[in-house]
Amino acid sequence: LFGLVKRLSDCDANRVFQEPVDTTLVTDYLDVVAQPMDFGTMRRKVVAGAYGSLAAVERDLALIYGN
């Protein structure tokens, strides 16, 4: 899974979704985005073994692209 997440994050040419949005800088972000997700969080979840299924990975990817 780590390789998959890395390949997908490499497609983020502007590197906008590499790490969580800093809500101290973008103070209204959580008012607009209910469930933040980014590739850095996904990589950490892969390393921690937090994904129990491919469907869980797909849900997080959908969050990134939906946000």
Side-chain angles (χ1 to χ4, degrees):
L1 283 178
F2 193 85
L4 171 66
V5 172
K6 182 183 178 338
R7 287 187 62 183
L8 291 168
S9 72
D10 288 346
C11 294
D12 179 16
N14 293 323
R15 306 194 54 79
V16 175
F17 300 104
Q18 295 302 309
E19 293 297 330
V21 171
D22 184 346
T23 56
T24 62
L25 297 175
V26 186
T27 56
D28 63 344
Y29 184 72
L30 296 176
D31 295 332
V32 178
V33 178
Q35 287 186 276
M37 184 51 62
D38 58 87
F39 290 115
T41 299
M42 287 189 71
R43 285 189 294 273
R44 287 185 287 280
K45 287 174 79 171
V46 169
V47 170
Y51 287 116
S53 68
L54 188 54
V57 175
E58 290 173 339
R59 281 191 296 274
D60 281 353
L61 285 173
L63 284 173
I64 290 173
Y65 291 107
N67 291 343

